[in-house]
Amino acid sequence: MNHWLTAPILIPLIGGILQAFMGYAPIALRRTLAIATTVLMLVAAIVLLVLADDGSYRLYAFGNWQPPFGIVLVLDRLAALMLVMTAVLALFCHIYAIGGTDESSRQFHGLFLFQLLGLNIAFLTGDLFNLFVAFEVLLIASYGLLMHGEGTSRTVPGLHYVVLNLAGSAVFLIAVGMIYSVTGTLNMADLAVKIPQVAEENLPLVKAGGMMLLVVFGLKAAILPLCFWLPGAYSNATAPVAALFAVMTKVGIYAIIRVFTLIFGSQAGELAGLGMDWLFPLALITLTMGVIGALGAASLRKLVAWQVIISVGTLLAAISFGTVAGTSAALFYLLNTTWVVGGLFLVADLVDGQRGSAQDKIVTAPRIANRTFLSVLFLMGAVAAVGLPPLSGFFAKLLILKSAVTESDVAWLWSVLLIGSFFTLIAYSRAGSIVFWRNVEGHIEEPQKLTPSLSVSASALISLSIVMVILAGPISRYAEDTAAQLHDTSAYTDILSKPMVGEEK
Amino acid sequence: MLDRLSFPQPYLSLILFAVWQFLSDGVSGASVVMGLVLAWMIPQLTRGFWPDPPFFARPWKLPPYLVLVLYDILVSSVSVARLILSGREPKPILVSYPLELTHPLAISMLASTISLTPGTVSADVSDDRTLLLIHALDAESDDEVINAIRTRYEARLKEMFQ
Amino acid sequence: MELAFAVVIGALTASGVYLMLRARTFPVVLGLTMLSYGVNLFLFSSGRLVTGGQPIIGSAETYSDPLPQALVLTAIVIGFAMTAFVVVLSLRSLADNDNDDHVNGRVPEQDRIPQEQEGANT
Amino acid sequence: MSLPLVVLLPFLGALAAPLFAQGGRTAIAVISCVPAIIGLAALYPHWAVLADGGIVQHTTEWLPALGLSLSFRLDGLSLLFTLLILIIGLLIILYARYYLKPHENVGKFYALLLCFKGSMLGIVLSSNLLLMVIFWELTSLTSFLLISFWTHKKDARRGARMSLAITGGGGLALLAGILLIGNIVGSYELEDVLAAGDLIKNHSMYPVALTLVLLGAFTKSAQFPFHFWLPHAMQAPTPVSAYLHSATMVKAGIFLMARLYPALAGTEQWFYMVSFTGMATLLIGAYVAMFKHDLKGLLAHSTVSHLGLITLLFGMGTQLAAVAAVFHVINHAIFKASLFMAAGIIDHETGTRDMRRINGLWRYMPHTATLAMVAASSMAGVPLLNGFLSKEMFFAEALELNLPGLWAYLPPLVATLAGIFAVAYSARFIHDVFFNGRPVNLPIFPPHEPPRYMKIPVEILVFACLMVGMFPAFSVGPLLYAAASATLGGDVPEYHLTVIHGFNLPLLMSFVAFFGGLLMYTQRQRFFDFHARFKEIDEKAVFEAIVSRISDTAHTVTAYIENGSLQRYAMLLIVSVIAVSVLPLWDLGIAIGSNGLSPVDWPTLIGIAILVVASLGTAAMHRDRFFALVLLSVVGLLVALGFARFSAPDLAMTQLSVEVVTIVLLMLALYYMPSWTPIETPKGRRIRDILIAGAAGIGMTLITLAMLTQPFTSISEFFLENSKPGGGGTNVVNVILVDFRGFDTLGEITVLGIAALGIYAMLRNVDLPPPPGDGQGHAWTRDAYPMMLQQIARPMLPLALMISAYIFLRGHNMPGGGFIAGLITAVALILQYIASGMSWTQGRISIRYHNVIGLGLLFALIAGAGSFAFGYPFLTSTFDYVYWPVVGKFEVASALVFDLGVYLTVIGATLLALTSVGRLSPHSAINSTNYKEGS
Amino acid sequence: MNPIAEYAIALLLLIGGFFTLVGAIGLARLPDFYTRLHGPTKATTVGVGAIVLSSVIYFSSKGQGVGVAEVLITVFLFLTAPVSANILAKAAMHIGVPTTDSTRGNTWDQ
Amino acid sequence: MITIALYITIAMVVLATVLNVYRLIKGPDAPDRVLALDTLYINAIALIVLLGITLGTRLYLESALLIAVMGFVGTVAMAKYLKRGSVIE
Ligand code: NA
Ligand code: NA
């Protein structure tokens, strides 16, 4: 049993606890410790990525209890990928936050680290109920983070976000109860074994439970018609929080990938491919809604928030194919969109800081300071988000387009995705040209200073879209291996027979 | 320093020790040890909430008083039951009872006694703690209520506290 | 017994859902609490209903399923934390919206006039 | 290796150029020339191979998963375009050096220009179709930035966005088309695709693929009906227009048609789509060019027209037509680039491009005028100039086109008509600018010749016009042959590059065009009057209006759907859950599983009835908030009783304690809120909600019923068996919580702690005015801390601690545990706050609740991490039995430390949350005077 | 089981049930809040006390040792019931809950 | 005999509970409701104890004790809310 598996959990947990104690310590100390925690977490994630790349499943049984009885962490390529993706995003968001956003509440760093804790648990856990707990950890921290900052604008969207997620948690529990009541187990590997054996009379319960899980994950992922909480919540959050939230919808997507390939995947007998026939059209409608929202967005933040929904639709469309190609394309796209959208939220905030009362609204305003720098960042972000060459978004989109196989899938996906890209392009070019180019006389009283922590973190996230092009080969190889590993569920269920500490000979 | 090791509230410690024995369903070696530890530790932890021990002039008067109250509760419960079941309209009265007791604990004990014994409920204590508002469920007059309480309970409590 | 129990969960769910769909924060919070009661009972009952089979080793001949009980205990605690948060959030919303407790921050324009008449009645 | 280098160099140059911005325009211009010069040098050694129809190929693997490789191909066709791009590019760089003003952002300009050049080279040199698409979209992007170079100009921004939308959108269509072709062929490599022409053309998806590819080509090459972006791209600085309109951007679409000619051409679909589009574009461009008063507008529409001509030639599908098309590509690039440069010079020197004001420039700048007149003549198709040659070939091919019936007359007619217009607008360009009286109101007066070096590019190009026009075989023969052969895939038809082929029908058409055009020009006023009857459409404005309309509509639609109403979002969520469960539940029906129903006892039934009444009552009575709260308490109490009734003592206790804390919290909030909920206005909404709630309730009832009556086995046997021997406790629920699933519990207390921290953070600096009295209008009582309550509250604390200790210590074996114990302690402390107030109680608690939470989590963590020391996984518990005299045998379990963490976290979190709310009250700041110690 | 214990248990149970019921009847039937306040504070407390006592005897006589933890419940109720009554009465007086017509004397202004 | 007495007692307590619920719903004033709730808590204690006797187990006694504690605090808090608005101030 490799203790490294607990690192992504223990590091933010310890960091978060320290922050809880240090509420009144000098801010420099709190920042240093907090950033150190995030950096350590990134290191741990990279170690796990290297470990996971041998294609095996690593098991960590808490309390040394054999699965399915105890809670286990399972490290595979997918988990490692999600961990690294999150850690990278988190580091830059965190660096951005110490540029000043963290000052308005003493709890910021604690909440931030706890948020990461929840995310990491979610990616690693091999237990359905523990996934619920992980969701709750990351949600409660996200509630706190969402409310972070001065002003009153975020309260109502925050309230909506919280209430909907509470309802979602209730549905999650109902689903867990239904599935447990038939299978008598919570371990995902064990579920994968038990689900195909479910008796005929019990199928409706499991089916309904599985579908409810899909709704819950869909709510987190912000799939239509469950996506409307997102634009308000994200666009009103402070920038590093909104940027970090780029990963929040991905948790829902992760859960869909994990649960619906492992438990309701191709080997699930009667229940194989549960819900996937619903997912594809919904994904395309979500994508369309995202594009419409982006076209109608009145501020850069709203635009980026709708971009989140566009990417959710795109991702889920590919995932719904249930194929290795679809999943691997989705994973590549996932990395791209998470980082780029995170970066775009930061850029929107930087722009906001330069424009006085015009904020980030897509309206005419006096010429901004640092225009070249910011407009280049915005341009790159937009190009990567829309999926134009030469940045990574294009390759991601290409992979997704190519993952469609049947004629009707091709027709629907291609037309929606490409026409969607076209209108997204119009939305971005309109927004960028108005915000950066269409100026009126006057000048901004006190533009925000672009301190290194602000500009470095924003540009770093955006620049990842270049790094991803350079590393496109290895990354797509990794994504493909990950998808292949995912779809070979029998290897996952082997963790049930791995020996515990003290048993191995 | 020494008071950090002492029993700051002897009565409390005693009660706590007894409670622990109750909770442990009887006295045993383990329950005595644990009871002692807790009877010492808890008052230490809560000393801020209760820095001074309550003052009893004649603490030995307390057990007979409690027995008296218990007896009254049992006996007069029946009369209230009879009233409730009889279907007769009760004749309630609100009485302002002039207190002779002054200590808050004593007043509280009196008020509690009044409430527990059937037929009367102490509804309020005046801000200056000189009057007690009593609601009697079924009584003929103020004096009846006042006299009963004065002689049966308040006198005994006075002995105990003053 | 199972039918009666099922009806309880149905009633809790229905009330919770109805309250959750109200327009003010307070009933919504009540609804969420109610819903979580229902969900907890449901999750609890996924181990089936057993009388006198408390899972304390040595206290009974057959035990009820302890796992759902443990899960529900976790769920109750988490639910409590969440409820506390949403209660306070509704207070914050009240403060940020000029003492309006509408879930959307402000009473929508079209609802405003009748609402004020309503206030006069109560 | 040289091919990737040719493509890469401009990009490197783009990175380098801004670094030389300090050195001024000349330095940057010189640096910017380097990539092209090296590129030309690098290509030179390949000429021998190419002249023989050979191919230079370079391939590097990149993303095999995508079928995307870094493969480049140099053949005659790509060489032709490469040369045009590089050579004209060089001239443009030189020209721009003088065109741009010193204060302008020259670094940015050259960087963008070089990026654009690199992208163009990428298109023409890519041998992988996906790679080509990448460069294709890059040209859209870079041209967007070039056109909008003067970002302060509204027209520049609009023109740029319009061109981005059209060409970028076309690029997306092209991408789809290429992907389709890739699917058909199984490869994106050019050689595979070109070899699979028959396969593609016979495939059922061919029409779709063809349409998509042509959409890409037509948008890029400004074919009708996508032609309108091009004239607006002249908002760019003239060097950019000259480059875009002559050799590059617009030629990309043409190049694409040439490149894929063997794979896609030769079918009916191709013929009709391409030739008719070309014809329409040819005519419309030529017609509109005539009426443009803007010098560059005239040229831009002329470009459209000539692109239509080339497209038409490709559409004809004959080999000779293809040759003519390639030839015209060269010729048009040369004369159009020079014309744009000349126009730029005129603009530069006069300050305007309005031909109504620019007159008689011959007098002021004869040298420039001469150059422009030669180039314009070439555009008009005057013999001995290059434009004439390819136009003759075009006329010849137009006559060859075998259309059925009267349609056969259409191509020659259109060709001639377009020729007439071409002559007319060329004549206008010459006469109206350089003659036609004196200048009117020029911003710069008098104009004079531009700097010497600014004219050199024009001179070179005009010289080329003459050379090609007079010595075609000598000057472009080999290049044309190589390009044509590459286009056609090897077999080049017989053709003759001579100046005059003798007197034939094409020549007659040329005569008609020439004199017709001159006639038209002399009668121009009539045509202008006729044209003036039609309202001029500003496509930018239309485009802008459309985009605004789309944006507004999107905004309206979004605002309608995403209307900010929690009720709607919640309704959608619930309806979704119901919707996805309906089908499975339909299968289920009212299912009573094989275990059947167990008997009921009536006390439980009555309890259940009360529970149902109280829960429905809460919903029904919710408007009276306090009443609803009381009813909710009843529900909570009965749920706890239910847990006890069905064998879950731990749950009963937990539920009870949580319940009361929740109720207290709700009351704390209710204090600030209205005590009544107003009636919701829409009655239909309530009915709808009742239906939804009813459906949810019925659904849950059915699910529960089915679930409870099914037999099942679970993993819990293991817990029951191992609880005592493996976990050291007889309370299996507690052992699961602190041991088997201790990680859940760690998460759970973390949630609790975070919630409290979040609550604390959320309420800082919140200012809520407390209501002066209750909902009925009574002022609050004076007596905040009733004496009797204070008296009872004091002993309650130690007593409760005692009970907590008891519940805590026995939890591992009996109902209880850290969580319940923590809540009891917390509730006892809350009682102190209620009885004696914030400041009194806070003054007696010396530890901050943040730290209690932290401590609790730390204890749990340490208890869990202790096992690391023994090489066991996190949270592995251990226990042992110890014998002490007097005390006897007792158990020591590490899980108890974990539970202590739970205990502390619960206390800290609960109290932090409640006191954070309590602190809002204005009274909390006032020291309680009501209670005096020992009085 | 010892028959005396059996009798005692049964008797205490019935007494407990009786007083609990009487308290509830009082609560349901009596005319105003202040009169209803009497029911729970004593009858019910006494009722629960009796039931708890029967439990003590029941389990003690089952031969599993003497269990007296239940007594704490009664003690606790006796301690708290008057306080609850007191503070509820204060609340009622504050709100101005009316007394029944036959009541003599006046509530206090809060 | 105990069984019969137990049944009768349970019947009486359940009936008492129903009467309390009646008062709780009927009100008419908020203090009546709180009073009824408080009584309901005490009835619940009785029910739990009776359940323990019926099942022959003492494992539910702590639940009963807890009801007593929590019921009291709940009642106090509600009463304080009614008269003072601010429960913790
Ligand atoms: Na003119
Ligand atoms: Na109120």
Side-chain angles (χ1 to χ4, degrees), chain D residues 625 667 669-676 771 773-776 780, chain F residues 81 85:
Chain D
R625 292 180 172 180
M667 278 187 301
L670 191 53
Y671 171 46
Y672 298 96
M673 293 183 173
S675 39
W676 279 77
D774 64 15
Q776 273 78 30
W780 300 119
Chain F
Y81 167 78

Side-chain angles (χ1 to χ4, degrees), chain B residues 12-157:
Chain B
L12 181 62
S13 294
L14 203 65
I15 292 169
L16 289 177
F17 183 77
V19 167
W20 185 257
Q21 304 315 316
F22 269 96
L23 284 169
S24 326
D25 280 339
V27 183
S28 68
S31 78
V32 168
V33 172
M34 201 66 213
L36 279 174
V37 170
L38 289 169
W40 169 77
M41 203 170 74
I42 291 174
Q44 282 286 358
L45 280 174
T46 59
R47 55 191 297 151
F49 287 83
W50 210 354
D52 303 311
F55 175 77
F56 284 103
R58 297 173 189 82
W60 59 88
K61 298 259 179 186
L62 182 63
Y65 179 79
L66 292 180
V67 172
L68 172 81
V69 172
L70 201 60
Y71 173 81
D72 285 359
I73 291 171
L74 294 177
V75 170
S76 50
S77 284
V78 180
S79 64
V80 172
R82 194 178 293 143
L83 174 78
I84 288 173
L85 296 175
S86 71
R88 177 172 69 79
E89 273 297 301
K91 288 181 282 182
I93 184 166
L94 279 156
V95 182
S96 291
Y97 176 90
L99 280 167
E100 291 177 5
L101 291 166
T102 53
H103 193 282
L105 181 60
I107 297 173
S108 297
M109 281 180 72
L110 178 65
S112 295
T113 309
I114 293 166
S115 290
L116 282 173
T117 47
T120 48
V121 165
S122 54
D124 204 356
V125 186
S126 65
D127 288 354
D128 58 2
R129 291 175 195 161
T130 55
L131 285 176
L132 195 62
L133 180 65
I134 295 170
H135 184 271
L137 180 59
D138 195 42
E140 292 303 325
S141 68
D142 285 15
D143 294 342
E144 181 194 326
V145 177
I146 291 174
N147 290 335
I149 292 170
R150 182 84 73 208
T151 52
R152 198 162 173 87
Y153 306 120
E154 191 176 22
R156 288 170 212 258
L157 283 170

Side-chain angles (χ1 to χ4, degrees), chain D residues 354-360 431-433 435-436:
Chain D
D354 189 337
M355 281 186 280
R356 286 164 298 189
R357 294 164 73 184
I358 307 171
N359 295 321
H431 179 256
D432 204 356
V433 171
F435 307 102
N436 199 23

Side-chain angles (χ1 to χ4, degrees), chain D residues 696-764:
Chain D
I698 290 168
M700 282 306 289
T701 307
L702 293 178
I703 291 172
T704 313
L705 185 61
M707 175 176 96
L708 288 178
T709 50
Q710 303 282 7
F712 104 130
T713 52
S714 83
I715 53 173
S716 292
E717 285 305 313
F718 178 87
F719 300 132
L720 292 167
E721 278 162 20
N722 288 281
S723 175
K724 182 75 178 157
T730 53
N731 181 356
V732 187
V733 174
N734 185 271
V735 177
I736 293 177
L737 285 172
V738 298
D739 197 340
F740 294 114
R741 296 184 67 90
F743 188 56
D744 271 350
T745 310
L746 184 61
E748 160 202 327
I749 59 175
T750 310
V751 169
L752 201 56
I754 304 168
L757 293 179
I759 285 171
Y760 175 79
M762 184 162 49
L763 285 183
R764 281 172 52 88

